[in-house]
Amino acid sequence: MRLLRRYPRFGRSIIPTKRVLFCGVIPSLHYAEIEAKGRLCPRFVYAIPKDSGGFEMMYSEIHQHRVSFTSLEAFKALQSSAPPLLELFHYVDFQKSKDIVLMRGAYKNPLTSSEAVFLVNQLQMYYRIDPERYKLVHTFNHNPMFFDFNVLLKNLDNPDKLTPSHMKMKSNSNSNAKEADS
């Protein structure tokens, strides 16, 4: 409080940003896969489901050890000047020695914490976990005329948005096999 009284201009410039930080540890091999695919296909769009039943489109770009997300509307209007709503920074200092990569994320309004986590999980889903979803990323970057937003939106129909579609199929087929054995 004393700092704000002594330096009121300083306090006003810091307070309105209200960025929320979070962090994580990523296995080195997982990050290496995301980084390699990110070099080949640095841009993608994600749909965030909203409570109202609709969705919001987000645009992401991977550059070196940074991933930034902004609303697609802002990107269309401002291009590279669009303000990021979520930024992920990856620190590779321990990648070789400890086999981990440290991640720091920062998000701001109007993005919520659950939406920020959703985007981080979707980044992994599309770039690392689900090869079918990575095909969408590749098409978006290399054959944009053939990119189909409807396929992207179909992925939102999964009740469990964090489980890759190929993992669901395996768990469903395992439960069907157990029923057949009974």
Side-chain angles (χ1 to χ4, degrees), residues 1-2 4 13 34-35 43 47 74 81 91 111 114 126-127 145 161 170 177-179:
M1 201 58 139
R2 226 182 241 168
L4 291 178
S13 68
I34 292 170
E35 182 186 30
R43 292 170 287 284
S81 299
Y91 301 93
L111 215 54
S114 59
Y126 280 91
Y127 279 87
M145 292 178 62
K161 298 175 188 81
K170 287 180 183 177
K178 287 177 186 173
E179 290 172 8

Side-chain angles (χ1 to χ4, degrees), residues 146-157:
F146 298 106
F147 181 76
D148 186 0
F149 276 100
N150 293 322
V151 175
L152 179 75
L153 296 177
K154 273 186 186 176
N155 289 328
L156 288 178
D157 291 340

Side-chain angles (χ1 to χ4, degrees), residues 93-105:
D93 303 348
F94 301 117
Q95 190 169 16
K96 291 181 182 165
S97 63
K98 304 287 184 196
D99 205 28
I100 60 171
V101 172
L102 303 177
M103 179 192 71
R104 178 179 59 93

Side-chain angles (χ1 to χ4, degrees), residues 9-157:
R9 289 180 58 211
F10 179 74
R12 279 193 298 256
S13 68
I14 291 177
I15 293 171
T17 61
K18 295 207 178 195
R19 294 178 64 102
V20 181
L21 302 174
F22 60 93
C23 60
V25 177
I26 304 170
S28 184
L29 287 175
H30 293 183
Y31 178 73
E33 184 176 355
I34 292 170
E35 182 186 30
K37 289 178 178 177
R39 270 188 259 120
L40 295 172
C41 301
R43 292 170 287 284
F44 195 58
V45 290
Y46 300 91
I48 300 177
K50 293 293 188 178
D51 291 337
S52 63
F55 56 89
E56 181 179 357
M57 296 303 295
M58 299 294 288
Y59 172 82
S60 74
E61 192 162 337
I62 299 172
H63 181 68
Q64 294 177 346
H65 301 297
R66 178 177 171 253
V67 183
S68 61
F69 295 83
T70 190
S71 74
L72 186 57
E73 286 180 28
F75 179 76
K76 284 180 180 179
L78 303 170
Q79 295 294 309
S80 62
S81 299
L85 297 177
L86 169 64
E87 290 181 289
L88 305 175
F89 301 92
H90 298 94
Y91 301 93
V92 296
D93 303 348
F94 301 117
Q95 190 169 16
K96 291 181 182 165
S97 63
K98 304 287 184 196
D99 205 28
I100 60 171
V101 172
L102 303 177
M103 179 192 71
R104 178 179 59 93
Y107 68 93
K108 59 184 175 182
N109 285 333
L111 215 54
T112 66
S113 62
S114 59
E115 290 170 339
V117 169
F118 179 80
L119 284 171
V120 172
N121 287 329
Q122 289 298 294
L123 174 72
Q124 290 186 67
M125 189 76 69
Y126 280 91
Y127 279 87
R128 191 184 66 77
I129 296 173
D130 191 341
E132 289 302 311
R133 292 186 188 197
Y134 180 69
K135 287 179 185 176
L136 282 175
V137 174
H138 192 273
T139 301
F140 183 82
N141 282 270
H142 299 285
N143 298 311
M145 292 178 62
F146 298 106
F147 181 76
D148 186 0
F149 276 100
N150 293 322
V151 175
L152 179 75
L153 296 177
K154 273 186 186 176
N155 289 328
L156 288 178
D157 291 340

